[in-house]
């Protein structure tokens, strides 16, 4: 099978921002821009802050709402005794959208956020979906175990090492090596942003609960036959976290009407690798849909 690619744009070096000290939890969401609503959903153990490189461009075309998922750093709290599930996380996102007065919206998610964007489309909340290397598509339990082990190990190592990340360890070459599992060009992530990402991972309270949930409930298996909005699944070419062959092909079987493309030269979290490529991948869908359909409602109608 020959997978198509979208165009790639050069990425500016963004390493001029100085390293920062540990910060309090971020706000639960970010809103900015004007236009039709676009919701951004981050990946597992992250926060809305991972979208920083693409916010300015997206906000020229959309009113952007980047939310932090429940149980994540700065997001809605999940009680320790609560049984975590994709349904629970999607319910939490819907509550955030309702509180923000957003009915339907373009939805873009990365990794776990991509899985949730498909779930929200199934629930009728999406005007379009762009899922960047979405999770939930494994077929072999061994692939899930490998990914779960990688996430646990990287998160624990990052959090434990964060007090020592100063000076030479924050040099561009060191950042690139430390972030290799999720980015091709970790040197393009400013030191302060990398420390924020580690803080976000340390502030995620549902790591073990979510891993148990995926083993209990399995991956994405919702019926999408009734979904009529445009769905694009865009996989990172150099994804080392959930490679396309092991996770992308099974997912396509479950979302048969989705278009599929490959983003060249980027890793699992592509926003710092090539922000212009990521924004093009999103806007090609959202602007085309906006040009061909009426503007969505700004508030969800009562059911």
């Amino acid at each position: 099978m020959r997978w198509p690619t979208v165009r790639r744009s050069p990425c500016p070096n963004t390493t001029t921002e100085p390293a920062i000290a540990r910060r309090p939890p971020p706000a639960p969401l970010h809103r900015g821009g004007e236009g039709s609503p676009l919701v951004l959903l981050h990946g597992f153990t992250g926060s809305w802050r991972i979208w920083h490189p693409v916010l300015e461009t997206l906000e020229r075309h959309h009113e952007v709402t980047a939310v932090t998922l429940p149980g994540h750093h700065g997001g809605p709290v999940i009680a320790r005794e609560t049984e975590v599930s994709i349904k629970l996380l999607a319910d939490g996102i819907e509550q955030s959208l309702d509180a923000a007065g957003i009915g339907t919206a373009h939805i873009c998610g990365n990794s776990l956020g991509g899985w949730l964007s498909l779930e929200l489309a199934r629930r009728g909340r999406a005007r379009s979906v762009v899922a960047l290397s979405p999770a939930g598509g494994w077929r072999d339990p061994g692939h899930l175990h490998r990914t779960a082990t990688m996430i646990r190990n990287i998160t624990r190592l990052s959090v434990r090492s964060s007090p020592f990340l100063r000076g030479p360890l924050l040099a561009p070459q060191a950042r690139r090596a430390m972030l290799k599992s999720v980015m091709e060009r970790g040197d393009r992530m400013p030191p302060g942003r990398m420390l924020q990402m580690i803080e976000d991972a340390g502030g995620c309270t549902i790591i073990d609960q979510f891993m148990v949930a995926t083993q209990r409930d399995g991956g994405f298996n919702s019926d999408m036959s009734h979904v009529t909005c445009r769905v694009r699944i865009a996989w990172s070419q150099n994804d080392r976290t959930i490679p396309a062959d092991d996770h992308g092909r099974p997912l396509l079987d479950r979302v048969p009407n989705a278009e599929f493309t490959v983003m060249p030269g980027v890793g699992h979290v592509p926003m710092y690798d090539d922000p212009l490529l990521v924004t093009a991948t999103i806007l090609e869908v959202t602007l085309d849909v906006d040009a061909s359909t009426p503007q969505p409602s700004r508030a969800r109608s009562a059911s």
Side-chain angles (χ1 to χ4, degrees):
M1 177 179 179
R2 188 176 183 85
W3 290 347
T5 62
V6 297
R7 64 181 179 272
R8 188 180 186 191
S9 304
C11 175
N13 191 307
T14 56
T15 60
T16 56
E17 181 178 323
I20 59 173
R22 183 177 179 86
R23 296 181 178 182
L29 58 81
H30 162 87
R31 297 191 80 174
E34 295 182 355
S36 59
L38 168 64
V39 174
L40 302 178
L41 305 176
H42 63 81
F44 190 44
T45 77
S47 80
W48 70 261
R49 300 188 291 190
I50 198 64
W51 296 101
H52 267 295
V54 300
L55 288 177
E56 181 178 355
T57 301
L58 293 176
E59 287 173 359
R60 294 173 191 158
H61 305 276
H62 295 287
E63 181 183 59
V64 175
T65 303
V67 304
T68 294
L69 303 180
H72 289 68
H73 191 44
V77 175
I78 295 179
R80 187 174 298 275
E81 64 274 12
T82 302
E83 184 176 89
V84 173
S85 65
I86 285 291
K87 179 183 182 301
L88 179 74
L89 298 182
D91 288 346
I93 296 169
E94 285 207 90
Q95 291 170 10
S96 296
L97 298 184
D98 291 343
I102 299 172
T104 61
H106 301 293
I107 302 177
C108 176
N110 174 222
S111 194
L112 173 59
W115 183 352
L116 287 165
S117 70
L118 296 172
E119 173 61 21
L120 291 171
R122 186 190 67 80
R123 296 181 179 204
R125 299 302 294 258
R127 192 175 191 216
S128 72
V129 166
V130 178
L132 309 177
S133 287
W138 68 88
R139 182 180 289 121
D140 185 337
H143 296 152
L144 172 62
H145 178 74
R146 170 191 167 277
T147 300
T149 300
M150 176 188 295
I151 292 173
R152 280 196 181 102
N153 291 343
I154 291 174
T155 300
R156 289 169 180 167
L157 178 62
S158 298
V159 172
R160 288 172 182 170
S161 64
S162 61
F164 309 102
L165 293 179
R166 297 294 184 272
L169 289 180
L170 288 178
Q173 298 85 345
R175 296 199 304 278
R176 185 167 184 169
M178 293 177 67
L179 296 170
K180 191 67 175 176
S181 62
V182 292
M183 298 179 192
E184 282 296 283
R185 294 299 306 273
D187 54 307
R188 289 176 172 165
M189 175 176 260
R193 297 294 183 204
M194 188 180 81
L195 292 177
Q196 284 182 346
M197 188 171 78
I198 294 173
E199 289 170 7
D200 288 343
C204 180
T205 62
I206 59 168
I207 293 177
D208 291 333
Q209 293 163 280
F210 184 74
M211 295 304 182
V212 169
T214 56
Q215 294 170 352
R216 179 192 67 228
D217 301 333
F220 181 80
N221 54 15
S222 299
D223 179 11
M224 297 285 284
S225 61
H226 66 288
V227 174
T228 58
C229 71
R230 184 171 171 183
V231 177
R232 168 178 283 184
I233 296 175
W235 220 276
S236 296
Q237 182 183 42
N238 301 329
D239 195 323
R240 296 177 177 84
T241 305
I242 52 173
D245 285 343
D246 296 337
H247 296 259
R249 292 178 186 272
L251 189 67
L252 285 178
D253 294 339
R254 302 168 199 175
V255 193
N257 295 326
E259 60 184 82
F260 190 90
T261 188
V262 172
M263 296 181 292
V266 298
H268 180 64
V269 181
M271 286 73 87
Y272 282 93
D273 284 341
D274 196 338
L276 297 183
L277 172 64
V278 172
T279 54
T281 301
I282 298 169
L283 293 175
E284 283 173 357
V285 172
T286 61
L287 297 184
D288 183 61
V289 170
D290 281 348
S292 60
T293 58
Q295 291 298 305
S297 168
R298 289 294 301 125
R300 190 180 187 187
S301 58
S303 58

